[in-house]
Amino acid sequence: MAQRFQAEGVPVMGWTRSGRSVAGIASAPDLAALVAESDVLVLSLYDDAAVTDMLDALLALDLTGKLIVETSTVAPSCLTDRIEAFAAKGAGAVDAPIAGGPELVLAGQCGICVGGEDVAAKRALTVLAALTERVFHVGPLGTGMVMKVINNSMLQTYVTGLVEMMRLAKRAGLPLETAIKIVSHGPAGVPMVAARIPKILGEDKEVGFTVAGILKDNEVFQRVARDFGVEAPSLAAAELMQNEGIALGLADQDPAALIAEAYARA
């Protein structure tokens, strides 16, 4: 995201809890310095614990006039439980989770669903337009994350079904390349899998996201569904498939490896 902002001419400065820096992106020495230099603070963190720690750390600083844009895949309550505290500090906040991996962000093709009150959301949409044209204000605070849950749960469900069907393809004697290309480029295909065909076929070893990461997301998705009283057995099936992949040593591999491994082992 920082690289995309900078490529679009948006002044950007970064800071990470781990001390990691990104080539070509200015780094702040600490969080306080970052906040002092920024009008908009875009958060991208791994899980609920990281996000809540960061939000609480921000609340200890001067946030007058700041906008918090929370892009992480976490439970909506991480932010909704603190919105009154941010308002009291003179800051606005939105949840704006991103659909699409690093390659789509860099290409300006990711999707962003923004949840928040109108003034904060309008400001966020203006800022996030540098990342992609596909930015949507979907409702009040928290609904951005719910929309992400819906979108990415469908992808997880799709991959689970594809794993099953590639086992069938193998046992029937269909080449993996034939089966995956026909499915991906036809009415049953989805862009996420089509873009991963080189990874599925072993031609591209780059990892866009990890199997461990989608399992973490799945836990969040199931928790959000339960909070709204919705059963999601398809996500439970995806969780089982992801844990099987991790048991085979695929935790740090791209989810494409789940499909390739299913075919190989059928």
Side-chain angles (χ1 to χ4, degrees), residues 146 149-150 153-154 157 218-236:
V146 173
V149 169
I150 294 168
S153 292
M154 292 306 302
T157 299
N218 189 332
E219 187 278 330
V220 174
F221 299 163
Q222 291 190 67
R223 182 151 38 94
V224 172
R226 287 194 299 269
D227 287 345
F228 284 89
V230 174
E231 295 296 325
S234 59
L235 285 175

Side-chain angles (χ1 to χ4, degrees), residues 1 42-43 68-74 76 79 93-100 105 109-117 120-122 124-126 128-129 131-153 155:
M1 284 190 287
V42 181
L43 277 61
I68 313 299
V69 179
E70 215 312 286
T71 71
S72 313
T73 301
V74 294
L79 187 56
V94 299
D95 60 308
I98 294 177
V105 174
Q109 297 173 356
C110 63
I112 307 177
C113 293
V114 176
E117 56 91 19
K122 184 177 180 180
L125 262 62
T126 300
L128 295 171
L131 293 181
T132 177
E133 294 180 354
R134 301 184 62 249
V135 187
F136 312 98
H137 181 202
V138 296
L141 194 70
T143 57
M145 184 55 212
V146 173
M147 192 65 242
K148 169 74 178 277
V149 169
I150 294 168
N151 185 80
N152 282 40
S153 292
L155 294 177

Side-chain angles (χ1 to χ4, degrees), residues 182-195:
I182 288 176
V183 170
S184 295
H185 296 309
V190 299
M192 184 272 291
V193 174

Side-chain angles (χ1 to χ4, degrees), residues 15-259:
W15 179 80
T16 63
R17 299 178 308 152
S18 64
R20 179 193 172 204
S21 61
V22 176
I25 304 297
S27 293
D30 52 40
L31 181 61
L34 181 77
V35 171
E37 291 293 327
S38 305
D39 297 317
V40 179
L41 298 158
V42 181
L43 277 61
S44 181
L45 295 144
Y46 187 71
D47 57 17
D48 289 29
V51 169
T52 55
D53 285 351
M54 183 56 57
L55 293 175
D56 290 341
L58 288 173
L59 285 169
L61 302 171
D62 181 7
L63 299 177
T64 305
K66 311 292 185 184
L67 175 66
I68 313 299
V69 179
E70 215 312 286
T71 71
S72 313
T73 301
V74 294
S77 58
C78 293
L79 187 56
T80 58
D81 287 353
R82 292 165 173 79
I83 190 59
E84 291 185 4
F86 279 112
K89 296 282 291 189
V94 299
D95 60 308
I98 294 177
E103 67 282 356
L104 292 182
V105 174
L106 287 170
Q109 297 173 356
C110 63
I112 307 177
C113 293
V114 176
E117 56 91 19
D118 289 346
V119 173
K122 184 177 180 180
R123 186 178 174 189
L125 262 62
T126 300
V127 172
L128 295 171
L131 293 181
T132 177
E133 294 180 354
R134 301 184 62 249
V135 187
F136 312 98
H137 181 202
V138 296
L141 194 70
T143 57
M145 184 55 212
V146 173
M147 192 65 242
K148 169 74 178 277
V149 169
I150 294 168
N151 185 80
N152 282 40
S153 292
M154 292 306 302
L155 294 177
Q156 293 215 7
T157 299
Y158 184 90
V159 170
T160 304
L162 197 56
V163 161
E164 294 173 352
M165 291 302 101
M166 289 305 100
R167 292 185 181 123
L168 174 59
K170 174 68 174 295
R171 294 184 184 183
L174 285 164
L176 176 59
E177 182 173 3
T178 298
I180 199 67
K181 285 187 175 180
I182 288 176
V183 170
S184 295
H185 296 309
V190 299
M192 184 272 291
V193 174
R196 278 180 158 76
I197 288 176
K199 298 182 190 297
I200 295 169
L201 298 179
E203 299 164 356
D204 178 2
K205 303 298 185 181
E206 185 177 351
V207 177
F209 200 52
T210 66
V211 173
I214 64 170
L215 176 61
K216 184 275 299 181
D217 284 357
N218 189 332
E219 187 278 330
V220 174
F221 299 163
Q222 291 190 67
R223 182 151 38 94
V224 172
R226 287 194 299 269
D227 287 345
F228 284 89
V230 174
E231 295 296 325
S234 59
L235 285 175
E239 179 184 7
L240 178 62
M241 178 264 296
Q242 291 152 9
N243 275 316
E244 289 174 349
I246 289 172
L248 292 172
L250 303 179
D252 295 326
Q253 296 297 308
D254 189 276
L258 295 170
I259 300 167

